[in-house]
Amino acid sequence: MIQLNQIVKNFSNLQALSGVDLNINPGITGLLGPNGAGKSTLIKLILGLVRPTSGSGTVLGHQLGKQGRQIRSQVGYMPEDDCYIPGMSGVEVVQFSACLAGMPSVESLRRSHEILDFCGMKQERYRKIDTYSTGMRQKIKFAAAIAHDPEYLILDEPTSGLDPEERDALLSRIKLLSDQAGKSVLISTHILPDVRAICDDIVILAAGK
């Protein structure tokens, strides 16, 4: 799914990634590492949002650093930080994400309701997202990431802020997408029980290596 060869990424005097060699297979992969290890930089690089200083690689068969638009069209990304437009309802946020991925308006609305049902969002989907709890916003970010039916998912701290019941439910949904829908997933997290529960492989990143 992802192949990286001697990837180096420098920011001014900081080397965020130092000669990373990495092969990620289909299935669910956990990305572990302390704060400052380079996980966020690695994710941005995979998404084509930053270019490597040196090295090469492919994501879903597309050239890293050269075919970012093609990569992002096939990847669903759930960021760690909130990312929404104030004043929009939950269903509008998910529909907007699907439209940005190229879905027609009517189909994106149908798909949004389908995904929100899958995520356990009921009537609260019509409320303004500004009024949501942390757990509800996490559900909306997850729904937005999968709205366009991507081949690959990158989830950054997906269970952050969730209570134990909500966390178990989200992990079950991720596992279901992998087992029954054939989706491959990269989960960046520091919660080891989450990794033990659903991951097939683990990548450990420390000091950019």
Side-chain angles (χ1 to χ4, degrees):
M1 307 299 286
I2 299 173
Q3 291 183 313
L4 304 180
N5 304 306
Q6 286 295 299
I7 293 294
V8 173
K9 181 58 184 177
N10 297 326
F11 295 101
S12 298
N13 295 324
L14 172 67
Q15 188 169 72
L17 297 174
S18 178
V20 172
D21 286 309
L22 180 61
N23 291 317
I24 295 182
N25 297 314
I28 304 177
T29 302
L31 176 60
L32 297 173
N35 290 336
K39 299 192 302 296
S40 295
T41 299
L42 181 63
I43 288 173
K44 291 176 182 176
L45 192 137
I46 290 171
L47 290 169
L49 299 176
V50 299
R51 294 190 177 207
T53 302
S54 63
S56 62
T58 59
V59 179
L60 304 176
H62 301 296
Q63 291 296 314
L64 200 67
K66 298 179 181 178
Q67 295 179 296
R69 184 180 295 274
Q70 291 91 326
I71 291 170
R72 290 190 293 275
S73 71
Q74 294 178 254
V75 174
Y77 174 50
M78 178 182 175
E80 179 181 5
D81 298 323
D82 285 337
C83 183
Y84 61 85
I85 300 174
M88 297 180 76
S89 67
V91 68
E92 287 173 333
V93 170
V94 180
Q95 182 188 17
F96 183 61
S97 296
C99 285
L100 286 176
M103 274 192 181
S105 180
V106 173
E107 173 61 17
S108 65
L109 181 59
R110 184 203 64 77
R111 172 73 176 171
S112 297
H113 283 293
E114 181 182 279
I115 292 300
L116 288 169
D117 288 341
F118 174 69
C119 292
M121 291 288 284
K122 298 179 181 178
Q123 292 302 310
E124 59 266 26
R125 72 184 65 183
Y126 300 109
R127 281 172 41 194
K128 301 298 183 187
I129 198 169
D130 315 60
T131 68
Y132 281 9
S133 66
T134 299
M136 291 168 65
R137 289 198 299 272
Q138 288 294 95
K139 286 182 180 180
I140 288 295
K141 286 194 293 183
F142 180 67
I146 63 176
H148 61 299
D149 194 26
E151 180 179 349
Y152 198 82
L153 292 173
I154 298 177
L155 311 177
D156 196 353
E157 301 289 354
T159 60
S160 177
L162 300 183
D163 63 35
E165 184 177 345
E166 289 176 326
R167 192 179 93 236
D168 289 344
L170 180 55
L171 292 175
S172 294
R173 292 183 187 108
I174 295 169
K175 185 69 173 169
L176 195 65
L177 287 173
S178 177
D179 291 346
Q180 297 190 11
K183 306 298 182 186
S184 290
V185 188
L186 179 66
I187 299 178
S188 176
T189 183
H190 65 278
I191 303 175
L192 291 178
D194 290 1
V195 174
R196 292 193 186 102
I198 65 170
C199 289
D200 305 303
D201 296 296
I202 298 171
V203 173
I204 297 175
L205 195 65
K209 299 181 180 181

